[in-house]
Amino acid sequence: MSGTPFPEFQERLEQALDALGMQADHSRIPTLLAYLQQLRHWNKAYNLTAIRDPGKMLVQHVFDSLAIVPGLRARWPDRALRVADMGSGAGLPGIILAICQPDWSVVCVDAVGKKTAFIRQAAGVLGLKNVRSEHGRIESMDSLQADLVISRAFASLSDFVRVAAHHRAPGGTMLAMKGQDPVAERAALHADTGWCVTHAVELSVPEMDARRCLLELECEQAPTGPEGTS
């Protein structure tokens, strides 16, 4: 990568990282901005996101994904995780996690071939050897045996569990990034699947007024089927 793209966003990204307690990650700014450049460029052909303005992409995609990093680091400070990002779309949050945690192995899964092709392209341009993309239906794929199965604005909590729970390794964790805490989805999750939300963290996303949260899901019943649900 020659030069840093979007130099006008450099200071905003520095401030966002500082606000998240990620001062040590300033060295990752060129890679984060290079990802943003790839997203804007390929979005024209691949329709990766409805957001067209790069400044809004910075906040609603990059900052939003960065907001979960401090909590994940605190929980797994010295462990190289295997992460499966379900319904990854443009690689969010998977690529952002891979940039911030080069010792983690990240698989970005999506049913849309153009999106997994973009992830593959972006990972190559950014030199992210810890990222791979998988094209296919999540529920039909063999288990990825991930330590962390995560989704961002992907599906209802019940649907997330139904299609993705079998990708969790024994002892692994399932996390869903959501907007405002979805009370109705929580109730349906427990009633429909036997899973429940065991932990909820309100996220503070720099420059974003909307409410965001990270939910941890766990099964209250022993799994009886290939999808890991009862």
Side-chain angles (χ1 to χ4, degrees), residues 102-164:
D103 57 332
W104 291 7
S105 175
V106 180
V107 183
C108 296
V109 183
D110 205 279
V112 179
K114 289 190 296 184
K115 293 180 178 180
T116 53
F118 165 74
I119 293 168
R120 195 173 300 113
Q121 160 76 18
V125 170
L126 302 176
L128 299 176
K129 299 185 183 302
N130 59 330
V131 175
R132 80 174 196 267
S133 64
E134 292 283 348
H135 172 225
R137 293 179 62 84
I138 296 169
E139 65 270 28
S140 302
M141 297 172 59
D142 290 340
S143 176
L144 292 170
Q145 292 293 296
D147 302 308
L148 174 59
V149 178
I150 192 167
S151 70
R152 174 182 177 268
F154 164 59
S156 71
L157 296 177
S158 295
D159 287 345
F160 175 42
V161 164
R162 288 191 184 103
V163 302

Side-chain angles (χ1 to χ4, degrees), residues 16 30 33 63 74 86 88-89 110 155 159 167 188 197 201 205 208 218 224:
L33 292 178
F63 290 179
M86 297 301 180
S88 186
D110 205 279
D159 287 345
H167 291 290
V197 174
V201 176
V205 180
M208 185 184 289
E218 188 55 71
T224 59

Side-chain angles (χ1 to χ4, degrees), residues 1-46:
M1 296 176 290
S2 58
T4 300
F6 297 118
E8 69 273 24
F9 294 157
Q10 175 94 18
E11 185 176 356
R12 287 174 63 187
L13 189 44
E14 288 176 357
Q15 291 174 348
L17 290 170
D18 290 349
L20 293 169
M22 298 174 64
Q23 293 86 349
D25 290 273
H26 281 204
S27 62
R28 308 191 196 281
I29 288 176
T31 308
L32 290 166
L33 292 178
Y35 166 74
L36 185 64
Q37 182 183 53
Q38 289 292 306
L39 180 59
R40 184 182 70 163
H41 175 73
W42 289 102
N43 195 45
K44 299 172 185 177
Y46 282 8

Side-chain angles (χ1 to χ4, degrees), residues 42-104:
W42 289 102
N43 195 45
K44 299 172 185 177
Y46 282 8
N47 195 29
L48 301 164
T49 172
I51 300 171
R52 304 296 178 186
D53 177 74
K56 292 180 179 179
M57 288 179 177
L58 179 69
V59 176
Q60 296 186 40
H61 292 323
V62 177
F63 290 179
D64 187 50
S65 296
L66 284 171
I68 67 172
V69 173
L72 299 185
R73 284 178 170 172
R75 181 163 177 178
W76 293 285
D78 301 305
R79 185 174 171 189
L81 294 182
R82 297 165 296 175
V83 180
D85 177 13
M86 297 301 180
S88 186
L92 297 159
I95 283 184
I96 304 302
L97 293 179
I99 292 171
C100 295
Q101 298 294 130
D103 57 332
W104 291 7

Side-chain angles (χ1 to χ4, degrees), residues 157-158 161 184-197 217:
L157 296 177
S158 295
V161 164
E185 284 189 29
R186 280 184 181 238
L189 172 71
H190 187 265
D192 297 344
T193 69
W195 285 62
C196 65
V197 174
L217 314 180

